[in-house]
């Protein structure tokens, strides 16, 4: 770019290479905007509003709301520090975007990753039907469920109650960002997509009575304390309750005195109610059976006759 009013002392015009580059880049930007073209940019900075790109002094900006689902910094309670940390992770990564707005006076360009995916999104939305199964990617984790993106564009929620048949102690153990996951569409309402992963599995409460009955001895891991006892994992996703009164021959109000989290214990089934999804267990019952067996061995009489 030559400014006719600015000359070198020797009489030569001063040429600005930077302005020339900006002029060429700006013309190319306008063409891409008019053609609705998808372009690739690399963020160089971040702030709480989104990502910034600096190209030859021209400002490019990708607002938070325009990030693709897999890149959106979903943070509960609006923790700004956590949001900023997630945005920093995107600096230096290539993003495919479309230009959605240009401010020629400020030389400011607004970009959208979502708009670059609009054709793919429309295609996926046409395929969505209740009952259909898709392979998606975990794009967000919340206390109330997993967000799963289908086809890289359409995001739905697997509510915590639809992840597994058992109790969820820590949702972080059930999925990580970028994990692949198969889901079934169970609801489409007002733009909200409800998904389920547990409906792709056999219901363990249907299977449990085929393998076990009242009186059986099971082994399981202690997974949770409650004020009235402990839960142990006994069959696939099913947790069974050992009530305080069934923990030990000795009375206790603190299950931690008897068993530890992660400990593998033996317990006897004393209640099996698949209809109401309940299974009651007893560690005390295992001890009693062992005592009866030892007495029977010592006396030579069956354990059943000892109680009579």
């Amino acid at each position: 770019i030559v400014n006719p009013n600015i000359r070198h002392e020797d009489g030569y015009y001063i040429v600005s290479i930077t302005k020339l580059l900006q002029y060429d880049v700006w013309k190319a930007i306008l063409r891409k905007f008019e053609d609705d073209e998808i372009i690739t940019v690399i963020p160089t900075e971040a702030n709480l509003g989104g990502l910034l790109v600096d190209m030859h002094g021209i400002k490019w900006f990708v607002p938070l709301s325009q990030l693709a689902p897999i890149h959106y910094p979903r943070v509960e309670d609006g923790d700004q520090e956590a949001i900023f940390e997630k945005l920093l992770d995107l600096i230096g990564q290539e993003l495919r975007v479309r230009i959605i707005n240009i401010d020629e006076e400020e030389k400011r360009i607004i970009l959208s990753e979502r708009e670059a995916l609009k054709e793919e999104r429309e295609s996926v939305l046409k395929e969505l039907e209740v009952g259909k199964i898709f392979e998606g990617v975990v794009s967000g984790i919340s206390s109330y469920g997993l967000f799963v993106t289908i086809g890289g564009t359409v995001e739905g929620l697997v509510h915590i109650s639809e992840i597994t048949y058992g109790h969820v102690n820590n949702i972080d153990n059930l999925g990580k960002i970028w994990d692949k996951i198969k889901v079934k569409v169970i609801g489409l309402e007002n733009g909200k997509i409800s998904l389920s992963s547990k409906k792709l599995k056999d219901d363990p409460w249907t299977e449990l009575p085929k393998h076990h009955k009242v009186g059986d001895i099971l082994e399981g891991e202690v997974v949770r304390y409650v004020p009235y006892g402990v839960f142990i994992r006994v069959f696939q996703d099913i947790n069974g309750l050992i009530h305080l009164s069934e923990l030990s021959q000795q009375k206790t109000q603190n299950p931690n005195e008897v068993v530890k989290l992660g400990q593998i214990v033996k317990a006897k089934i004393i209640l099996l109610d698949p209809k109401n999804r309940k299974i009651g267990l007893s560690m005390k019952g295992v001890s009693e059976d062992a005592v009866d067996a030892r007495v029977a061995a010592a006396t030579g009489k069956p354990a059943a006759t000892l109680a009579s």
Side-chain angles (χ1 to χ4, degrees):
I1 300 294
V2 179
N3 188 333
N5 297 317
I6 302 178
R7 294 193 184 195
H8 189 269
E9 58 184 11
D10 294 329
Y12 298 108
Y13 290 112
I14 294 176
V15 178
S16 171
I17 300 299
T18 301
K19 290 187 179 295
L20 181 61
L21 282 172
Q22 284 186 351
Y23 178 73
D24 288 341
V25 170
W26 192 254
K27 283 203 305 183
I29 289 168
L30 292 175
R31 280 198 306 271
K32 293 178 187 300
F33 182 44
E34 291 167 0
D35 295 340
D36 199 26
E37 189 177 330
I38 295 175
I39 59 177
T40 299
V41 297
I42 300 176
T44 53
E45 298 177 58
N47 60 37
L48 287 174
L51 298 167
L52 298 98
V53 179
D54 187 357
M55 187 179 290
H56 304 301
I58 297 174
K59 301 172 186 176
W60 309 59
F61 185 62
V62 188
L64 276 179
S65 61
Q66 296 302 321
L67 289 171
I70 197 67
H71 290 148
Y72 185 80
R74 186 175 287 100
V75 174
E76 292 189 53
D77 303 323
D79 185 334
Q80 293 190 341
E81 186 174 336
I83 290 173
F84 187 59
E85 287 295 325
K86 289 179 179 292
L87 288 172
L88 287 177
D89 289 339
L90 296 174
I91 291 176
Q93 292 191 33
E94 290 188 350
L95 302 182
R96 295 175 73 247
V97 297
R98 272 191 167 105
I99 300 168
I100 58 173
N101 190 42
I102 292 179
D103 184 337
E104 293 197 47
E105 287 188 10
E106 294 291 329
K107 292 290 187 289
R108 184 179 174 87
I109 303 155
I110 306 300
L111 306 171
S112 172
E113 202 179 11
R114 285 182 175 273
E115 282 299 302
L117 298 169
K118 65 182 179 182
E119 289 85 2
E120 291 94 329
R121 178 179 174 81
E122 289 167 4
S123 176
V124 172
L125 287 173
K126 286 178 183 177
E127 294 292 318
L128 284 185
E129 291 178 14
V130 171
K132 271 197 169 183
I133 297 169
F134 295 89
E135 182 170 78
V137 173
V138 176
S139 51
I141 300 172
S142 162
S143 60
Y144 49 85
L146 300 176
F147 289 90
V148 174
T149 297
I150 298 170
T153 62
V154 176
E155 192 174 58
L157 175 67
V158 183
H159 190 268
I160 195 168
S161 62
E162 290 294 334
I163 298 174
T164 178
Y165 286 97
H167 177 82
V168 178
N169 287 325
N170 184 354
I171 198 167
D172 289 330
N173 293 334
L174 298 177
K176 303 294 181 187
I177 302 296
W178 292 108
D179 278 357
K180 291 182 178 179
I181 181 174
K182 281 192 175 180
V183 291
K184 184 175 185 177
V185 181
I186 59 173
L188 297 169
E189 188 175 354
N190 299 324
K192 293 183 178 180
I193 302 165
S194 298
L195 306 169
S196 173
S197 58
K198 84 175 187 182
K199 284 187 169 55
L200 299 178
K201 309 172 188 175
D202 292 331
D203 186 345
W205 284 103
T206 302
E207 293 296 311
L208 180 61
K210 298 177 185 178
H211 302 274
H212 299 287
K213 62 184 183 302
V214 171
D216 284 357
I217 306 295
L218 302 176
E219 279 194 354
E221 178 189 356
V222 179
V223 293
R224 184 162 57 109
Y225 293 131
V226 288
Y228 44 87
V230 298
F231 280 95
I232 68 170
R233 182 164 293 115
V234 293
F235 183 81
Q236 296 182 22
D237 291 340
I238 293 177
N239 295 336
L241 173 67
I242 305 176
H243 192 271
L244 281 173
S245 61
E246 296 294 336
L247 269 175
S248 169
Q249 300 286 350
Q250 308 298 320
K251 287 186 177 181
T252 180
Q253 295 299 316
N254 184 2
N256 188 41
E257 295 175 349
V258 183
V259 293
K260 305 298 181 185
L261 290 178
Q263 182 179 342
I264 304 299
V265 300
K266 288 185 177 181
K268 183 178 182 179
I269 299 176
I270 57 175
L271 170 69
L272 185 56
D273 185 1
K275 183 178 179 181
N276 293 304
R277 298 179 176 262
K278 291 182 179 180
I279 178 170
L281 304 166
S282 172
M283 286 176 60
K284 183 174 73 174
V286 174
S287 300
E288 290 171 348
D289 285 351
V291 170
D292 287 346
R294 285 196 297 271
V295 172
T299 61
K301 294 181 180 180
T305 65
L306 295 173
S308 59

